[in-house]
Amino acid sequence: MKQITKFFILVGVVSFTSLSQAACSFDVEVGDYLKFSTPDMAVEKSCESITVNLKHSGKLPANIMGHNWVLSADADVQTLATEGMSAGLVSNYVTPGDARVLAASSVIGGGESTSVTFSTAGLVSGDAYTFFCSFPGHSYSMRGALTVSP
Ligand code: CO
């Protein structure tokens, strides 16, 4: 019994320690609906790179209820979503080589997972960024603010 108590105290200390450090990795869940599990995200430049792990816990395939995680400046979301539609699923609904796309994961369907890692070097603290799903029609509700702190 004493051993078990010690174990839980240790786990508590380890969790507390990791909370005080910058989060450089985020787990985001999506499903057969138009919503990210994370409404907003705060990243820190002290992380050289950020990783977003996207998990689709739904059942519908990517061509019906596909989701991705795309990052851009606030002002570019609308244009990127429109142009991404033309790029099609084959390009993950993102125009290849578009510099306004700061990060983009592939489009996944139910039961699938993917991740995207991007450098924070190009992110400016205080600038307004938005993450969204570029699947046609999804960006209106599948979006959130990403704030950057030093
Ligand atoms: Co979507």
Side-chain angles (χ1 to χ4, degrees), residues 31-33 56 58-66 108-112:
D32 292 335
Y33 43 78
H56 192 320
K59 289 195 159 47
L60 297 171
N63 62 329
I64 305 289
M65 186 54 76
I108 54 171
E112 297 176 326

Side-chain angles (χ1 to χ4, degrees), residues 11-30:
V11 169
V13 170
V14 170
S15 332
F16 179 76
T17 308
S18 55
L19 276 178
S20 63
Q21 292 167 350
C24 305
S25 169
F26 295 82
D27 293 332
V28 179
E29 200 171 322
V30 290

Side-chain angles (χ1 to χ4, degrees), residues 104-135:
S105 79
S106 50
V107 172
I108 54 171
E112 297 176 326
S113 293
T114 189
S115 70
V116 57
T117 298
F118 56 98
S119 167
T120 58
L123 300 180
V124 179
S125 180
D127 275 10
Y129 299 97
T130 295
F131 63 88
F132 62 99
C133 173
S134 67
F135 189 97

Side-chain angles (χ1 to χ4, degrees), residues 3-145:
Q3 288 288 359
I4 293 172
T5 311
K6 269 185 194 164
F7 173 74
F8 280 110
I9 289 170
L10 184 65
V11 169
V13 170
V14 170
S15 332
F16 179 76
T17 308
S18 55
L19 276 178
S20 63
Q21 292 167 350
C24 305
S25 169
F26 295 82
D27 293 332
V28 179
E29 200 171 322
V30 290
D32 292 335
Y33 43 78
L34 307 187
K35 191 171 166 278
F36 285 112
S37 62
T38 314
D40 294 304
M41 288 169 59
V43 303
E44 297 180 25
K45 292 268 284 179
S46 60
C47 297
E48 276 182 27
S49 65
I50 303 288
T51 297
V52 173
N53 302 306
L54 186 68
K55 182 186 170 195
H56 192 320
S57 54
K59 289 195 159 47
L60 297 171
N63 62 329
I64 305 289
M65 186 54 76
H67 300 302
N68 62 356
W69 191 95
V70 181
L71 180 69
S72 75
D74 277 4
D76 295 329
V77 175
Q78 217 53 60
T79 311
L80 291 177
T82 305
E83 292 178 5
M85 224 181 285
S86 311
L89 179 57
V90 68
S91 298
N92 294 296
Y93 296 112
V94 169
T95 305
D98 193 321
R100 294 169 300 179
V101 177
L102 304 176
S105 79
S106 50
V107 172
I108 54 171
E112 297 176 326
S113 293
T114 189
S115 70
V116 57
T117 298
F118 56 98
S119 167
T120 58
L123 300 180
V124 179
S125 180
D127 275 10
Y129 299 97
T130 295
F131 63 88
F132 62 99
C133 173
S134 67
F135 189 97
H138 287 198
S139 66
Y140 293 96
S141 49
M142 292 189 80
R143 66 162 73 193

